[in-house]
Amino acid sequence: MKYHIDFARLRQVEARLLWLSHWMIHHANHLRQNDDDIKVGGHQASSASMVSILTALYFAALRPEDRVAVKPHASPIFHAMQYLMGNLNLELLKNFRGYGGAQSYPSRTKDADDVDFSTGSVGLGVAMTSFASLIQDYVSTKQWGSNVKLGRMVALMGDAELDEGNIYECLQEGWKHNLRNTWWVIDYNRQSLDGIIHEGLWEHAEKIFTAYGWDVIRLKYGVLQRAAFDEPGGKKLKDWIDDCPNQDYAALTYMGGKVWRERLLNDLGDQGDFTEFLDRHSDDELGCLMENLGGNCVETMAKEFAEINHNRPVCFLAYTVKGWGTPIAGHKDNHGGLMTLNQMQKWQSSMGIREGHEWDRLEAVADKASFQRWLGQVPFFQSRNRRFDDAIFRVPSLALDKSKSASTQASFGKILDTIARGDDEIAERIVTLSPDVSGTTSLGSWINRKKLFSRQPIRDAFKDAKIPSTAKWEFDSSGQHIELGIAEMNLFLALAAAGLSSSLFGKRLLPIGTVYDPFVCRGLDALNYACYQDARFMIIGTPSGVTLAPEGGAHQSIVTPLIGMGQDGLASFEPAFTDELSVIMEWGFSHMQLDDGGSVYLRLSTKPVEQPQREMTPELAADIIKGAYWLRKPGPNCELVIAYQGVIAQEAILAAGHLGEFRRDIGVLAITSADRIYAEFKIQSHNLNKTSHIETLLADVPNYAKMLTVIDGHPATLTWLGGVRGNPTISHGVDRFGQTGQINDLYQHFAIDHESLVRSALQQAPRHQNPRQMSFAQHNAA
């Protein structure tokens, strides 16, 4: 049964949301105790410009299966809406932008209300809806996801968000994947924080969206304006509005109806029917008429939303007034500005809100009971639980056959190939994504077995022509690899969408993304955004470090280990050996599925490393996941510990062998995750009754023993280890841009080769000097 749109009710909702959102902000800034004496903020004007759009969308157009990314600065409207519907506690509104209160910007993880997509870093939430639609298509084409009810992925965005580059990267990716079921609604208020939007932006936006296959609907006039244009003299008004510069329109809006009249008469003169038109409207009526743009007209927005009867992507360009309906409408400072106490008092009276009843949900509504009944029938709110879950899938053993030498990147590819050949549950839920580097990040075998995803099949012309190739480019709806362009921002946004599939669509995915490790930095904002939403995925950064020698500095990562340590919601590992990688990936697939889990980042390498021939005991496996273990345990008179992370293992082992003659009881500490051991050490340092894993490992190392750390990455990743027990520490790593060369040349250049490690260890005698020690020069001579 089609839902009847009651425009009178929508206008009541609109008034309630406008009031509650602005009172919430006013209360936070002017009435609530503020010990910091700093403005709380809250974006009253940016909320007001969106109130009609949100009202029409949520109370007329949406269904429970639809998902929305709300413009960050419209969060007060969103919170007010949830409160109006009885879904949010009043105390959270009263504590807006306070500790434990409703968040400044909509947050899936921090807010108590029903947030679909976190927003805050502008542009990212918008693009996120495009990738959520792609993942919805991916899930729904699988046999196990065929019962998913397709919904629209909607972004409510400010016009200034069109400045964000990731918007346009996303548009191209959507075009390549035949994007559908996506709406973007642009709040075209033409005012930003530092100025007025340039004239003609709408023309460029229309051309861009149309070029990528979107329908563009420009909503410039509200019902009052459209009716006025049909009156005698009304066409002159329409032409004047179309020609009026954005800055003038904003200023005139702020000054009001009297000044509107003066300006119109000055510009158009005494023109008979137009003068009569103006005479038929009071100053207040004229002011309301000129503010009645399409995006500020709930009836116009609701009708336009209802007219869409297809699944093509649609961009609604909705003209609005920033600060619509408030005393600060149109003022150039209103982005961060707030109504004064006097302005709020007068506005409260005009809104019909009694003093002492400001927080009442249905204040100023005459027919409260019938209005409440109507609210109870709004389709979108019929489902009280819009966050789903799915089964946790068992992870099989991922151990590979022993080999003498292997790289972690190649081993990653072999592990995925093993999964692809099996029939374990996780095999059908893994989806891989890569920004045009699948072949060089060891995904080739997986793709050949699992194919590439497309809703419509695409044949492999090379295969048809029987041209020999190691790659199979077969696309169809059963495919389990999503090939993306080279924009890393898109990769992380797609991983974010796939990593929320269980919550959004009730079907769990285990997404794996691969990217050249240095280019993690190119998508860092989107990676942070994905983790903030608690999306679950595995990102493989490979190849990494200056070990990628011939490729040169732009392709050699330095700071990514620190990113792995610093990024919340992301467990970072850098294994050296295949058996470590197998254990970590087993753990990672489980970690991605747990309520208290998270995402996983593996920093891998193309350099083959001699593999230890050992048994993987439960104790060793546990230590690998904790982040460190003794590759060579120190003796009772330990004078030196060499701690390494990742591919540099071979250099550390060689150095320990050379130094055995000159330093007693050397220990070699294998760090598989500086992130994990540091995080636990930091937590346990505040708890005197517990000992962290790294403290346990170093418990028997004398505090006078030298700590020598080495990593093919920033040395600060491991420098902190010396502070665990106060050991003097020398750190080796890479803190300058790399360059081309052979691996040995670059290792020597950056002093991460075994000879440099030996030299460092011998330059300073330990506190308890070994009488058998000799200088490094003597050692070389010997």
Side-chain angles (χ1 to χ4, degrees):
M1 184 176 69
K2 188 167 182 176
Y3 176 67
H4 171 68
I5 301 176
D6 188 329
F7 297 115
R9 292 300 190 195
L10 291 182
R11 285 189 286 272
Q12 285 181 309
V13 171
E14 178 185 59
R16 296 306 305 132
L17 298 186
L18 185 64
W19 167 257
L20 287 168
S21 60
H22 282 61
W23 180 252
M24 182 195 322
I25 299 168
H26 181 79
H27 178 269
N29 285 274
H30 295 300
L31 305 180
R32 193 173 73 206
Q33 181 176 342
N34 184 355
D35 296 330
D36 297 333
D37 199 27
I38 298 174
K39 186 182 90 168
V40 175
H43 302 286
Q44 285 180 333
S46 295
S47 294
S49 63
M50 287 291 295
V51 67
S52 306
I53 295 170
L54 266 83
T55 299
L57 190 69
Y58 278 94
F59 292 84
L62 294 182
R63 300 300 181 265
E65 60 270 20
D66 300 326
R67 301 285 176 174
V68 186
V70 175
K71 186 181 85 167
H73 295 158
S75 67
I77 297 286
F78 180 79
H79 295 314
M81 176 183 71
Q82 297 293 343
Y83 172 64
L84 177 66
M85 296 304 298
N87 298 332
L88 196 65
N89 189 291
L90 175 58
E91 294 308 309
L92 295 175
L93 260 64
K94 289 184 174 181
N95 201 19
F96 172 62
R97 290 194 166 208
Y99 181 71
Q103 295 293 297
S104 307
Y105 310 117
S107 171
R108 282 182 59 87
T109 55
K110 307 294 183 183
D111 271 317
D113 38 9
D114 186 21
V115 177
D116 290 320
F117 303 111
S118 299
T119 54
S121 184
V122 294
L124 295 180
V126 179
M128 177 70 168
T129 59
S130 175
F131 291 105
S133 180
L134 171 60
I135 296 302
Q136 179 179 240
D137 279 345
Y138 176 90
V139 169
S140 64
T141 57
K142 303 297 183 285
Q143 184 176 1
W144 45 264
S146 59
N147 62 339
V148 169
K149 192 172 184 180
L150 298 181
R152 287 191 171 108
M153 304 295 122
V154 182
L156 306 178
M157 60 187 291
D159 47 14
E161 292 187 78
L162 289 170
D163 292 340
E164 293 289 347
N166 73 281
I167 293 289
Y168 304 98
E169 293 175 338
C170 161
L171 284 177
Q172 180 152 309
E173 201 63 64
W175 166 74
K176 290 191 298 188
H177 288 279
N178 299 309
L179 180 69
R180 59 178 180 165
N181 291 318
T182 305
W183 287 3
W184 288 2
V185 186
I186 301 175
D187 172 12
Y188 195 55
N189 61 49
R190 293 152 292 156
Q191 286 184 256
S192 59
L193 179 60
D194 291 341
I196 301 295
I197 296 296
H198 283 258
E199 302 295 332
L201 175 64
W202 65 270
E203 293 178 284
H204 295 282
E206 283 191 354
K207 290 175 183 177
I208 291 170
F209 280 94
T210 301
Y212 284 116
W214 289 58
D215 289 2
V216 179
I217 299 175
R218 188 156 60 106
L219 303 168
K220 188 167 185 178
Y221 319 108
V223 291
L224 297 180
Q225 288 188 348
R226 295 198 302 274
F229 299 157
D230 290 335
E231 295 182 36
K235 186 178 184 305
K236 295 184 179 67
L237 177 66
K238 180 180 184 298
D239 292 341
W240 185 91
I241 290 175
D242 288 343
D243 293 336
C244 183
N246 293 335
Q247 190 164 194
D248 287 7
Y249 209 95
L252 289 164
T253 297
Y254 178 71
M255 290 185 286
K258 180 179 180 182
V259 181
W260 274 116
R261 186 183 304 278
E262 294 171 357
R263 175 64 179 270
L264 289 167
L265 286 172
N266 286 339
D267 286 358
L268 298 177
D270 188 354
Q271 295 191 30
D273 58 356
F274 180 69
T275 303
E276 292 175 3
F277 172 87
L278 290 179
D279 289 343
R280 290 195 298 272
H281 295 80
S282 68
D283 287 346
D284 287 344
E285 290 171 340
L286 184 60
C288 288
L289 173 64
M290 299 306 285
E291 285 191 42
N292 182 238
L293 299 176
N296 294 133
C297 178
V298 71
E299 183 173 337
T300 295
M301 294 306 304
K303 283 182 176 179
E304 290 294 340
F305 289 150
E307 289 294 317
I308 305 301
N309 59 1
H310 57 78
N311 63 12
R312 295 188 303 274
V314 182
C315 171
F316 300 90
L317 189 66
Y319 280 70
T320 64
V321 170
K322 194 164 186 175
W324 176 82
T326 76
I328 59 176
H331 196 287
K332 71 175 184 177
D333 297 334
N334 66 12
H335 182 88
L338 299 166
M339 278 190 271
T340 63
L341 291 170
N342 185 52
Q343 285 175 323
M344 175 56 78
Q345 187 177 26
K346 291 181 179 179
W347 188 61
Q348 178 174 349
S349 177
S350 70
M351 294 287 286
I353 307 299
R354 296 170 295 167
E355 187 175 349
H357 293 264
E358 292 86 354
W359 292 110
D360 290 4
R361 289 174 52 253
L362 305 184
E363 176 66 3
V365 176
D367 51 344
K368 291 180 174 55
S370 60
F371 181 57
Q372 184 63 59
R373 285 194 298 273
W374 179 85
L375 289 177
Q377 298 170 3
V378 175
F380 178 78
F381 297 99
Q382 295 309 299
S383 177
R384 291 295 177 180
N385 181 19
R386 297 175 61 252
R387 291 206 182 183
F388 308 121
D389 203 356
D390 197 6
I392 293 178
F393 299 106
R394 185 186 67 84
V395 181
S397 171
L398 302 180
L400 297 178
D401 293 337
K402 293 283 195 301
S403 60
K404 289 186 177 181
S405 180
S407 73
T408 48
Q409 178 179 304
S411 298
F412 160 72
K414 289 180 180 179
I415 290 172
L416 277 189
D417 184 59
T418 300
I419 295 172
R421 285 187 280 111
D423 58 357
D424 295 292
E425 290 178 306
I426 69 166
E428 66 179 9
R429 296 305 181 103
I430 289 176
V431 55
T432 58
L433 306 94
S434 184
D436 203 33
V437 292
S438 59
T440 49
T441 54
S442 296
L443 286 178
S445 179
W446 165 267
I447 294 172
N448 287 345
R449 294 187 186 278
K450 292 295 187 178
K451 296 187 287 189
L452 297 104
F453 170 73
S454 173
R455 292 203 316 272
Q456 302 299 325
I458 304 173
R459 65 187 184 88
D460 184 345
F462 287 80
K463 181 181 178 181
D464 293 346
K466 298 182 180 179
I467 300 173
S469 172
T470 58
K472 297 178 182 178
W473 290 349
E474 294 185 62
F475 290 81
D476 67 33
S477 59
S478 69
Q480 289 183 238
H481 176 76
I482 299 176
E483 184 60 35
L484 304 171
I486 61 173
E488 283 78 13
M489 290 287 284
N490 283 344
L491 169 68
F492 286 112
L493 289 172
L495 284 171
L500 291 175
S501 179
S502 177
S503 176
L504 295 175
F505 312 122
K507 304 296 180 182
R508 189 182 306 282
L509 292 177
L510 299 173
I512 302 175
T514 64
V515 62
Y516 287 178
D517 195 62
F519 302 136
V520 167
C521 299
R522 291 179 59 172
L524 192 53
D525 193 16
L527 170 60
N528 180 67
Y529 173 75
C531 292
Y532 180 65
Q533 302 208 70
D534 197 26
R536 305 299 181 82
F537 53 88
M538 185 179 292
I539 180 68
I540 310 297
T542 184
S544 64
V546 298
T547 302
L548 188 60
E551 292 289 337
H555 279 61
Q556 294 167 355
S557 55
I558 299 172
V559 301
T560 49
L562 296 177
I563 292 171
M565 292 182 70
Q567 180 61 60
D568 189 19
L570 188 70
S572 172
F573 293 86
E574 187 172 0
F577 306 119
T578 296
D579 59 359
E580 294 173 352
L581 176 63
S582 297
V583 167
I584 291 167
M585 288 187 68
E586 285 181 31
W587 176 88
F589 284 129
S590 295
H591 185 66
M592 290 160 60
Q593 302 183 70
L594 300 177
D595 289 342
D596 59 350
S599 293
V600 182
Y601 168 31
L602 306 183
R603 191 172 187 255
L604 306 183
S605 175
T606 52
K607 182 179 184 291
V609 174
E610 185 177 347
Q611 299 294 305
Q613 302 302 306
R614 61 190 177 185
E615 179 187 358
M616 180 55 65
T617 65
E619 293 76 20
L620 175 58
D623 283 352
I624 288 170
I625 298 305
K626 289 177 182 177
Y629 66 93
W630 286 114
L631 187 67
R632 173 177 172 175
K633 288 187 178 181
N637 300 304
C638 176
E639 295 178 338
L640 175 68
V641 169
I642 301 178
Y644 72 87
Q645 178 167 291
V647 71
I648 213 72
Q650 215 156 10
E651 302 300 320
I653 293 167
L654 283 172
H658 284 303
L659 286 165
E661 185 179 354
F662 313 108
R663 292 289 183 264
R664 289 185 293 177
D665 295 347
I666 295 174
V668 179
L669 185 63
I671 308 295
T672 53
S673 175
D675 174 33
R676 298 270 292 171
I677 55 173
Y678 174 75
E680 189 200 20
F681 172 66
K682 183 190 70 171
I683 293 172
Q684 304 296 30
S685 65
H686 298 286
N687 188 342
L688 299 179
N689 297 320
K690 290 188 177 181
T691 303
S692 66
H693 179 59
I694 189 62
E695 289 175 298
T696 301
L697 288 174
L698 298 179
D700 295 329
V701 176
N703 60 9
Y704 60 77
K706 186 181 295 185
M707 178 78 70
L708 186 65
T709 68
V710 60
I711 182 176
D712 183 2
H714 200 285
T717 309
L718 302 178
T719 299
W720 64 274
L721 288 169
V724 175
R725 287 181 51 79
N727 297 92
T729 302
I730 299 174
S731 295
H732 288 242
V734 182
D735 55 8
R736 290 164 289 150
F737 290 117
Q739 56 187 292
T740 57
Q742 294 185 337
I743 292 177
N744 289 340
D745 294 334
L746 294 189
Y747 278 13
Q748 290 173 18
H749 176 77
F750 290 104
I752 57 175
D753 62 303
H754 68 276
E755 290 185 353
S756 297
L757 301 182
V758 171
R759 189 177 296 112
S760 284
L762 294 178
Q763 278 178 345
Q764 179 182 342
R767 193 172 300 176
H768 295 278
Q769 179 71 42
N770 186 330
R772 294 188 300 130
Q773 283 180 338
M774 62 178 75
S775 69
F776 187 50
Q778 291 172 319
H779 163 67
N780 282 340

